[in-house]
Amino acid sequence: MSVPVAWYLVLAAAMFAVGTAGALTRRNGITIFLSIELMLNSANLTLVAYSRLLEDRTGQIVVLFVLAVAAAEAAVGLALFIALYRHRRTIDLDRVNLLRW
Amino acid sequence: MELLVFAIFAGLALASALTVVLHRDPVKSTLSLVVTLFSTGVLFVLLGAPFVGVLQVLVYTGAIVVLFLFVVMLLNLQREARRSEPGGSFQKVAAGAGALAFAAFAGIAVWRTSADAEAAELTEAFVGLRGFSEELFERFLLPFEIIGLLLLVAVIAAYVVARRPEPERRLPTPLEKATGEARIDPVGEEAP
């Protein structure tokens, strides 16, 4: 039997929720970054699921763009973490509060 | 059959997503993100998007996660991994926010798609690569080019941000001011 598309959407919602909770609770910069990747990934799953339901390939192409943006974001973000670590010897985001408030 | 594959990989994706968030060691978090992304790639194939699934495995797990692993291992975060994460009320608030996000998205998903909506049978025209690339290179040609430009800019930005500053133009970091000694200088050209 074939799987209803709504199940994929529920799975994507669950993964998004896990990513949200991770991004809010963790202090390690890398883990927060990984949580954001999780959220991007669940958005991708939603796009592909709707593209299947609506028989429209646009969703798949948007996923391609999201992949590229995620790659760019990962490159710049990790470079920032390297620069931060060089200055502070930590990437614990609770202890990096120079620009806070 | 499809149901079985979906159940296996959906469970795998969810379990490894939880591991990403809950595990204390960033290396293991990153490695379990590989499992999540690969499972999602399999689900893409199930949804009739095999090309996107292949790209997912190649680009995400092949390139992005390797970048993550490199940085995690370069920074040597063992000390931070051992420090405890914040507990108590804040964690409850975040878990609540996550649950709220889940409820909202799942509710909207089921409401908008009428839970048992059956998608049409997969056709060769939909799954095939020809239609995909025709649409990509005709309707979405300009965004495609802009994405290429974005990647170029990102590479340059990553280099500029992460490169070691030249010694004579470098301001002392807060840590150096506090301890009164210069740190990173494997070449040893810089005066202390």
Side-chain angles (χ1 to χ4, degrees):
Chain A
M1 92 169 248
S2 90
V3 181
V5 174
W7 293 12
Y8 290 95
L9 298 175
V10 171
L11 172 66
M15 264 167 42
F16 191 90
V18 171
T20 313
L24 288 176
T25 48
R26 300 303 303 261
R27 294 194 302 190
N28 186 324
I30 295 280
T31 318
I32 290 178
F33 226 55
L34 292 175
S35 305
I36 293 172
E37 296 289 336
L38 269 183
M39 287 151 83
L40 279 173
N41 189 51
S42 80
N44 279 349
L45 186 57
T46 311
L47 282 168
V48 174
Y50 270 118
S51 122
R52 170 88 174 89
L53 188 67
L54 305 175
E55 292 287 317
D56 185 350
R57 227 182 266 100
T58 310
Q60 299 178 11
I61 290 172
V62 174
V63 168
L64 202 71
F65 296 149
V66 173
L67 275 184
V69 172
E73 172 232 354
V76 176
L78 290 173
L80 281 173
F81 280 136
I82 289 180
L84 179 65
Y85 188 77
R86 194 169 283 154
H87 274 264
R88 292 296 193 93
R89 278 284 176 253
T90 181
I91 57 165
D92 184 336
L93 296 189
D94 275 3
R95 288 160 68 188
V96 180
N97 47 13
L98 204 62
L99 291 181
R100 195 181 277 179
W101 319 129
Chain B
M1 181 61 195
E2 194 193 335
L3 187 66
L4 184 68
V5 176
F6 174 82
I8 290 173
F9 283 98
L12 211 55
L14 210 52
S16 56
L18 281 170
T19 314
V20 170
V21 169
L22 295 178
H23 209 288
R24 189 159 288 184
D25 185 355
V27 177
K28 288 179 183 116
S29 286
T30 315
L31 288 177
S32 75
L33 187 71
V34 173
V35 180
T36 313
L37 297 172
F38 181 80
S39 311
T40 319
V42 173
L43 295 180
F44 286 173
V45 176
L46 273 189
L47 281 167
F51 182 61
V52 181
V54 169
L55 275 185
Q56 166 96 356
V57 174
L58 279 182
V59 176
Y60 242 129
T61 65
I64 297 181
V65 174
V66 169
L67 190 65
F68 268 98
L69 270 182
F70 255 101
V71 172
V72 170
M73 290 176 174
L74 199 65
L75 296 190
N76 186 21
L77 301 171
Q78 294 309 317
R79 192 167 43 89
E80 305 207 1
R82 260 183 272 116
R83 292 193 42 206
S84 64
E85 290 288 334
S89 61
F90 182 68
Q91 208 135 36
K92 287 193 193 102
V93 171
L100 204 67
F102 173 67
F105 281 103
I108 291 170
V110 174
W111 172 51
R112 295 295 296 178
T113 55
S114 66
D116 49 11
E118 285 283 336
E121 284 292 309
L122 284 174
T123 58
E124 178 65 31
F126 182 72
V127 177
L129 199 51
R130 171 181 283 271
F132 182 86
S133 35
E134 272 173 5
E135 188 148 359
L136 177 61
F137 290 119
E138 283 169 14
R139 222 177 118 202
F140 289 94
L141 184 59
L142 182 64
F144 185 78
E145 299 287 345
I146 293 173
I147 280 291
L149 192 64
L150 173 76
L151 284 173
L152 177 68
V153 171
V155 168
I156 296 172
Y159 169 71
V160 170
V161 171
R163 115 195 114 142
R164 182 160 299 172
E166 294 158 38
E168 67 271 21
R169 284 167 44 198
R170 192 165 67 84
L171 293 171
T173 67
L175 190 73
E176 284 171 337
K177 269 187 201 149
T179 59
E181 58 183 28
R183 260 181 310 100
I184 323 157
D185 194 32
V187 190
E189 288 169 344
E190 190 181 1

